[in-house]
mmCIF file of all heavy atoms in Angstrom:
data_model
loop_
_atom_site.group_PDB
_atom_site.id
_atom_site.type_symbol
_atom_site.label_atom_id
_atom_site.label_comp_id
_atom_site.label_asym_id
_atom_site.label_seq_id
_atom_site.Cartn_x
_atom_site.Cartn_y
_atom_site.Cartn_z
ATOM 1 N N TYR A 530 5.234 6.493 -5.756
ATOM 2 C CA TYR A 530 4.598 7.427 -4.818
ATOM 3 C C TYR A 530 4.260 8.750 -5.502
ATOM 4 O O TYR A 530 3.196 9.320 -5.300
ATOM 5 C CB TYR A 530 5.509 7.705 -3.614
ATOM 6 C CG TYR A 530 5.498 6.603 -2.583
ATOM 7 C CD1 TYR A 530 6.623 5.831 -2.337
ATOM 8 C CD2 TYR A 530 4.359 6.329 -1.834
ATOM 9 C CE1 TYR A 530 6.619 4.810 -1.399
ATOM 10 C CE2 TYR A 530 4.337 5.306 -0.896
ATOM 11 C CZ TYR A 530 5.475 4.554 -0.682
ATOM 12 O OH TYR A 530 5.459 3.543 0.248
ATOM 13 N N ARG A 531 5.196 9.230 -6.325
ATOM 14 C CA ARG A 531 4.965 10.517 -6.998
ATOM 15 C C ARG A 531 3.758 10.405 -7.935
ATOM 16 O O ARG A 531 2.860 11.244 -7.914
ATOM 17 C CB ARG A 531 6.226 10.933 -7.768
ATOM 18 C CG ARG A 531 6.224 12.393 -8.204
ATOM 19 C CD ARG A 531 7.443 12.708 -9.057
ATOM 20 N NE ARG A 531 7.401 12.022 -10.349
ATOM 21 C CZ ARG A 531 6.673 12.414 -11.399
ATOM 22 N NH1 ARG A 531 5.926 13.495 -11.312
ATOM 23 N NH2 ARG A 531 6.690 11.717 -12.528
ATOM 24 N N LEU A 532 3.732 9.328 -8.721
ATOM 25 C CA LEU A 532 2.622 9.159 -9.673
ATOM 26 C C LEU A 532 1.298 8.922 -8.956
ATOM 27 O O LEU A 532 0.248 9.402 -9.374
ATOM 28 C CB LEU A 532 2.919 7.999 -10.642
ATOM 29 C CG LEU A 532 4.085 8.233 -11.600
ATOM 30 C CD1 LEU A 532 4.395 6.960 -12.378
ATOM 31 C CD2 LEU A 532 3.775 9.388 -12.562
ATOM 32 N N GLN A 533 1.357 8.176 -7.846
ATOM 33 C CA GLN A 533 0.135 7.926 -7.065
ATOM 34 C C GLN A 533 -0.435 9.248 -6.524
ATOM 35 O O GLN A 533 -1.632 9.528 -6.668
ATOM 36 C CB GLN A 533 0.467 7.014 -5.886
ATOM 37 C CG GLN A 533 -0.629 6.999 -4.807
ATOM 38 C CD GLN A 533 -0.171 6.326 -3.523
ATOM 39 O OE1 GLN A 533 -0.434 5.162 -3.353
ATOM 40 N NE2 GLN A 533 0.490 7.055 -2.641
ATOM 41 N N ASN A 534 0.444 10.062 -5.919
ATOM 42 C CA ASN A 534 -0.048 11.302 -5.314
ATOM 43 C C ASN A 534 -0.532 12.279 -6.383
ATOM 44 O O ASN A 534 -1.512 13.001 -6.192
ATOM 45 C CB ASN A 534 1.042 11.932 -4.433
ATOM 46 C CG ASN A 534 1.323 11.077 -3.201
ATOM 47 O OD1 ASN A 534 0.874 9.943 -3.115
ATOM 48 N ND2 ASN A 534 2.068 11.604 -2.255
ATOM 49 N N LYS A 535 0.135 12.247 -7.531
ATOM 50 C CA LYS A 535 -0.279 13.109 -8.650
ATOM 51 C C LYS A 535 -1.663 12.679 -9.141
ATOM 52 O O LYS A 535 -2.546 13.511 -9.387
ATOM 53 C CB LYS A 535 0.758 12.969 -9.772
ATOM 54 C CG LYS A 535 0.660 13.991 -10.840
ATOM 55 C CD LYS A 535 1.847 13.850 -11.762
ATOM 56 C CE LYS A 535 1.488 14.454 -13.102
ATOM 57 N NZ LYS A 535 2.294 13.947 -14.176
ATOM 58 N N ALA A 536 -1.860 11.369 -9.262
ATOM 59 C CA ALA A 536 -3.157 10.855 -9.724
ATOM 60 C C ALA A 536 -4.250 11.197 -8.714
ATOM 61 O O ALA A 536 -5.392 11.500 -9.088
ATOM 62 C CB ALA A 536 -3.089 9.343 -9.924
ATOM 63 N N TRP A 537 -3.899 11.158 -7.434
ATOM 64 C CA TRP A 537 -4.888 11.501 -6.393
ATOM 65 C C TRP A 537 -5.308 12.969 -6.539
ATOM 66 O O TRP A 537 -6.499 13.281 -6.545
ATOM 67 C CB TRP A 537 -4.282 11.233 -5.016
ATOM 68 C CG TRP A 537 -5.190 11.531 -3.866
ATOM 69 C CD1 TRP A 537 -6.438 11.010 -3.637
ATOM 70 C CD2 TRP A 537 -4.946 12.438 -2.787
ATOM 71 N NE1 TRP A 537 -6.963 11.537 -2.478
ATOM 72 C CE2 TRP A 537 -6.060 12.403 -1.933
ATOM 73 C CE3 TRP A 537 -3.872 13.268 -2.455
ATOM 74 C CZ2 TRP A 537 -6.143 13.174 -0.766
ATOM 75 C CZ3 TRP A 537 -3.944 14.029 -1.288
ATOM 76 C CH2 TRP A 537 -5.076 13.979 -0.460
ATOM 77 N N ILE A 538 -4.331 13.859 -6.728
ATOM 78 C CA ILE A 538 -4.646 15.291 -6.900
ATOM 79 C C ILE A 538 -5.543 15.471 -8.140
ATOM 80 O O ILE A 538 -6.559 16.170 -8.097
ATOM 81 C CB ILE A 538 -3.353 16.131 -7.081
ATOM 82 C CG1 ILE A 538 -2.516 16.076 -5.812
ATOM 83 C CG2 ILE A 538 -3.687 17.577 -7.418
ATOM 84 C CD1 ILE A 538 -1.089 16.578 -6.014
ATOM 85 N N GLN A 539 -5.168 14.803 -9.226
ATOM 86 C CA GLN A 539 -5.958 14.896 -10.465
ATOM 87 C C GLN A 539 -7.385 14.415 -10.234
ATOM 88 O O GLN A 539 -8.335 14.998 -10.736
ATOM 89 C CB GLN A 539 -5.325 14.036 -11.572
ATOM 90 C CG GLN A 539 -4.201 14.703 -12.318
ATOM 91 C CD GLN A 539 -4.601 16.082 -12.842
ATOM 92 O OE1 GLN A 539 -5.635 16.235 -13.491
ATOM 93 N NE2 GLN A 539 -3.812 17.098 -12.532
ATOM 94 N N SER A 540 -7.521 13.340 -9.448
ATOM 95 C CA SER A 540 -8.861 12.784 -9.226
ATOM 96 C C SER A 540 -9.727 13.786 -8.463
ATOM 97 O O SER A 540 -10.922 13.888 -8.697
ATOM 98 C CB SER A 540 -8.782 11.444 -8.474
ATOM 99 O OG SER A 540 -8.485 11.658 -7.109
ATOM 100 N N ILE A 541 -9.106 14.552 -7.574
ATOM 101 C CA ILE A 541 -9.878 15.546 -6.817
ATOM 102 C C ILE A 541 -10.241 16.716 -7.731
ATOM 103 O O ILE A 541 -11.377 17.179 -7.766
ATOM 104 C CB ILE A 541 -9.067 16.049 -5.597
ATOM 105 C CG1 ILE A 541 -8.700 14.876 -4.686
ATOM 106 C CG2 ILE A 541 -9.868 17.102 -4.824
ATOM 107 C CD1 ILE A 541 -7.724 15.238 -3.578
ATOM 108 N N LEU A 542 -9.262 17.159 -8.530
ATOM 109 C CA LEU A 542 -9.503 18.314 -9.400
ATOM 110 C C LEU A 542 -10.543 18.011 -10.474
ATOM 111 O O LEU A 542 -11.335 18.865 -10.848
ATOM 112 C CB LEU A 542 -8.190 18.763 -10.067
ATOM 113 C CG LEU A 542 -7.123 19.332 -9.124
ATOM 114 C CD1 LEU A 542 -5.834 19.612 -9.887
ATOM 115 C CD2 LEU A 542 -7.603 20.592 -8.433
ATOM 116 N N THR A 543 -10.545 16.753 -10.962
ATOM 117 C CA THR A 543 -11.468 16.411 -12.051
ATOM 118 C C THR A 543 -12.783 15.819 -11.532
ATOM 119 O O THR A 543 -13.728 15.647 -12.289
ATOM 120 C CB THR A 543 -10.842 15.365 -13.000
ATOM 121 O OG1 THR A 543 -10.541 14.195 -12.220
ATOM 122 C CG2 THR A 543 -9.583 15.869 -13.665
ATOM 123 N N GLY A 544 -12.796 15.436 -10.258
ATOM 124 C CA GLY A 544 -13.995 14.805 -9.697
ATOM 125 C C GLY A 544 -14.171 13.367 -10.160
ATOM 126 O O GLY A 544 -15.229 12.768 -9.986
ATOM 127 N N LYS A 545 -13.104 12.788 -10.749
ATOM 128 C CA LYS A 545 -13.196 11.388 -11.217
ATOM 129 C C LYS A 545 -12.139 10.561 -10.507
ATOM 130 O O LYS A 545 -10.936 10.829 -10.659
ATOM 131 C CB LYS A 545 -12.930 11.307 -12.725
ATOM 132 C CG LYS A 545 -14.018 11.917 -13.538
ATOM 133 C CD LYS A 545 -13.793 11.563 -15.009
ATOM 134 C CE LYS A 545 -14.670 12.450 -15.865
ATOM 135 N NZ LYS A 545 -13.963 13.236 -16.846
ATOM 136 N N PRO A 546 -12.550 9.516 -9.768
ATOM 137 C CA PRO A 546 -11.552 8.685 -9.080
ATOM 138 C C PRO A 546 -10.558 8.089 -10.070
ATOM 139 O O PRO A 546 -10.928 7.764 -11.194
ATOM 140 C CB PRO A 546 -12.381 7.564 -8.433
ATOM 141 C CG PRO A 546 -13.798 7.995 -8.518
ATOM 142 C CD PRO A 546 -13.918 9.024 -9.597
ATOM 143 N N SER A 547 -9.315 7.962 -9.631
ATOM 144 C CA SER A 547 -8.273 7.369 -10.503
ATOM 145 C C SER A 547 -8.673 5.939 -10.864
ATOM 146 O O SER A 547 -9.067 5.164 -9.991
ATOM 147 C CB SER A 547 -6.946 7.373 -9.744
ATOM 148 O OG SER A 547 -6.087 6.397 -10.275
ATOM 149 N N VAL A 548 -8.550 5.586 -12.140
ATOM 150 C CA VAL A 548 -8.914 4.218 -12.539
ATOM 151 C C VAL A 548 -7.868 3.205 -12.081
ATOM 152 O O VAL A 548 -8.157 2.018 -11.942
ATOM 153 C CB VAL A 548 -9.150 4.055 -14.060
ATOM 154 C CG1 VAL A 548 -10.465 4.641 -14.477
ATOM 155 C CG2 VAL A 548 -8.022 4.643 -14.873
#
Side-chain angles (χ1 to χ4, degrees):
Y530 281 113
R531 195 185 68 79
L532 293 173
Q533 164 192 264
N534 292 12
K535 193 172 157 202
W537 180 57
I538 295 166
Q539 277 308 309
S540 75
I541 301 171
L542 294 175
T543 59
K545 291 190 194 123
S547 157
V548 285

